[in-house]
Amino acid sequence: MAYSQEIISRARRKLESQKADWESRQRQHQQQVYAAIPRVREIDMLLRRNMTAAAQAVFTQGGDPRAAMEQVRQENQILQREREDLILAQFPPEYAREEPICPNCGGSGYVGSRMCACLLELCRQEQKKELALLTCGEGRFTDFVLEYYSDAIDPKLGVSPRAVMRGNFAVCRRYGENFSPDKGNLLFVGGTGLGKTFLSACIATSATEQGYSVDYEPAGHLFQKLERNHFSPTPETAAAVSRLETCDLLIVDDLGTELPGNFVTAALYNLLNDRLLAGKPMVISTNLTMDEVAGRYSPQIASRLQGSFQRLTFVGQDIRILKNRGF
């Protein structure tokens, strides 16, 4: 999962805080147990002494140390059972456990060089918070309202806008709820206020909840990142651009609302090309027609969008206007 360094840093700080709180509670539990049951302190001292003696036996005794180790193991089992019985007689079960916050990594966040599941979960939570800010908290398929789209037959379409959007919604929901790194690409085309941003956010939320790294970028913000890295590169800008290229899912919202120019065209072409060659999924939404894409950017970019993306055309009336009218 190609999470950004910022998200990983926030998740690591959260894990460190949780680990410190956990260890503090463990120390408090131990102090309470020692005060109430002095015998438990004696047992803990004996357990440590036995382990030290066993280690010394391995390094100092000749021959096979397995007999000494087995004796220590049996003695420790007896002491541990006594310890547990004493504690459970007066305290809840968690007071008898002396385990780290994560049994796999001990709270470090890594198993060898691989990120532990506990840190991955915190990264997922941090990414959800970031997406919620970018999408103003919107992004649940269950909140999509088909009634905003007319069920009257549109003569130009031959079907009703609601029928078209029902099909679009079904495609988006399948894509998001069954997301995988080989899922392919979606292109949302249509006027303003028809649900393109909302369904993009739904896909982002759903993929994030499954543990995939998602970068959700309004077009203007995306090209600002690329421009800063091109003209004033820093480790931070390089990391941001690397994430655009490597995240499991890149969502570009409102393509065509950014300021046009040669740099934007070249940057968009390179980004599309790099992700398509790597087989990394994208979802792009735009108010532009494909002819307008070809004119604004280049025929090559329009060709890639037409040939490598499943196109969903959004139709209907501007939902924002309908809401303002009290629909």
Side-chain angles (χ1 to χ4, degrees), residues 4-262:
S4 70
Q5 191 56 49
E6 183 180 353
I7 285 177
I8 294 173
S9 295
R10 292 204 304 265
R12 290 183 67 178
R13 288 196 295 272
K14 189 170 184 179
L15 180 60
E16 288 168 4
S17 176
Q18 291 178 348
K19 181 182 177 183
D21 290 344
W22 175 271
E23 291 174 345
S24 176
R25 287 195 299 273
Q26 293 285 87
R27 287 192 296 271
Q28 291 174 12
H29 290 171
Q30 185 185 68
Q31 291 168 4
Q32 292 170 15
V33 169
Y34 283 175
I37 315 170
R39 172 59 180 165
V40 172
R41 184 194 293 271
E42 295 176 6
I43 291 173
D44 286 346
M45 292 176 63
L46 288 170
L47 288 170
R48 287 193 292 271
R49 189 181 304 165
N50 283 350
M51 293 306 298
T52 301
Q56 290 175 344
V58 170
F59 289 105
T60 61
Q61 291 182 5
D64 190 351
R66 285 179 291 183
M69 291 294 293
E70 177 60 23
Q71 181 179 350
V72 168
R73 187 185 68 81
Q74 291 178 5
E75 290 176 0
N76 282 355
Q77 284 182 340
I78 294 171
L79 289 170
Q80 286 165 351
R81 282 196 295 268
E82 180 185 357
R83 182 184 190 276
E84 184 174 350
D85 290 342
L86 288 169
I87 295 173
L88 292 178
Q90 297 190 41
F91 292 93
E94 59 266 23
Y95 280 68
R97 295 195 294 266
E98 291 184 336
E99 55 189 25
I101 186 172
C102 175
N104 297 318
C105 71
S108 70
Y110 291 86
V111 180
S113 60
R114 182 170 52 84
M115 191 180 290
C116 183
C118 66
L119 184 56
L120 280 171
E121 171 59 22
L122 291 175
C123 286
R124 185 186 69 83
Q125 293 175 13
E126 289 300 317
Q127 184 173 254
K128 282 183 67 177
K129 292 179 186 177
E130 191 173 272
L131 285 172
L133 290 173
L134 287 170
T135 60
C136 301
E138 295 183 338
R140 295 284 177 185
F141 287 115
T142 51
D143 295 331
F144 186 76
V145 181
L146 273 171
E147 284 68 24
Y148 283 126
Y149 304 92
S150 172
D151 60 356
I153 300 296
D154 185 320
K156 294 181 180 179
L157 300 173
V159 295
S160 68
R162 187 175 299 177
V164 173
M165 293 307 300
R166 183 181 291 110
N168 289 348
F169 174 72
V171 170
C172 292
R173 188 162 196 167
R174 284 196 302 270
Y175 186 95
E177 293 183 347
N178 301 286
F179 182 78
S180 63
D182 59 352
K183 200 65 175 176
N185 310 299
L186 296 180
L187 176 64
F188 298 166
V189 177
T192 59
L194 298 181
K196 299 188 302 297
T197 295
F198 183 86
L199 286 176
S200 295
C202 291
I203 289 172
T205 299
S206 188
T208 295
E209 288 178 342
Q210 295 168 71
Y212 292 102
S213 59
V214 179
D215 200 342
Y216 183 101
E217 297 285 349
H221 191 217
L222 171 105
F223 290 111
Q224 286 174 8
K225 284 185 176 181
L226 293 169
E227 189 172 9
R228 280 196 297 267
N229 187 62
H230 183 78
F231 294 106
S232 302
T234 65
E236 290 75 20
T237 63
V241 170
S242 175
R243 174 168 162 73
L244 294 174
E245 297 167 349
T246 61
C247 63
D248 295 321
L249 174 63
L250 174 63
I251 298 179
V252 182
D253 190 34
D254 272 343
L255 182 67
T257 57
E258 76 289 339
L259 292 174
N262 291 335

Side-chain angles (χ1 to χ4, degrees), residues 274-289:
D274 289 346
R275 287 194 65 92
L276 288 173
L277 286 174
K280 291 189 170 295
M282 289 174 279
V283 174
I284 297 178
S285 69
T286 182
N287 298 339
L288 304 175
T289 65

